[in-house]
Amino acid sequence: MQRALRGKSYVFEGELPEEVALLLEKWGKLVKRGEVAIYSIEQGEIKIRKISESPTKSVRRIYINPACGCVLEIDESRDFEEGRIAYALYKKRLCPEHQA
């Protein structure tokens, strides 16, 4: 069974898509410093699970679960040969409060 990490904060080490950044700011605090962004959720949980791994690449899925019932899943792709980290929105489900 895969190990999942849980917490209230996460450090994004690459450029976040604008849609993802806007959604994260609804539920917590997002502080950007250059290419690094530090996110902390006020109520809810952040869970990280490894999806795939090879000697040159790694993909982790970040689950953002605020207390309101929304769900946001972001894929973090790390390419070790090129030294690149990319984030992509995998799935989002908004509660009735945030759909408006």
Side-chain angles (χ1 to χ4, degrees):
M1 186 167 169
Q2 292 182 346
R3 196 176 112 220
L5 301 174
R6 299 173 192 267
K8 294 276 191 186
S9 62
Y10 189 76
V11 177
F12 292 96
E13 301 175 48
E15 188 71 30
L16 279 174
E18 190 65 30
E19 180 183 9
V20 171
L22 291 172
L23 288 168
L24 291 175
E25 288 172 344
K26 288 183 180 185
W27 307 307
K29 186 177 179 182
L30 184 65
V31 178
K32 297 178 186 176
R33 297 224 167 93
E35 283 193 20
V36 175
I38 301 166
Y39 177 68
S40 56
I41 193 166
E42 294 160 4
Q43 294 180 344
E45 181 180 62
I46 300 171
K47 186 168 64 172
I48 301 104
R49 178 170 283 147
K50 194 173 291 187
I51 301 298
S52 69
E53 187 173 38
S54 73
T56 59
K57 293 184 180 182
S58 170
V59 178
R60 297 192 303 179
R61 184 149 305 142
I62 303 160
Y63 302 87
I64 312 286
N65 297 305
C68 65
C70 291
V71 174
L72 183 66
E73 296 180 16
I74 305 163
D75 281 352
E76 176 189 74
S77 302
R78 292 177 179 259
D79 186 328
F80 300 116
E81 288 181 335
E82 296 179 21
R84 208 170 37 110
I85 301 172
Y87 295 94
L89 179 63
Y90 176 76
K91 178 179 164 184
K92 72 174 178 180
R93 188 180 77 227
L94 300 178
C95 68
E97 176 188 339
H98 289 107
Q99 285 178 355

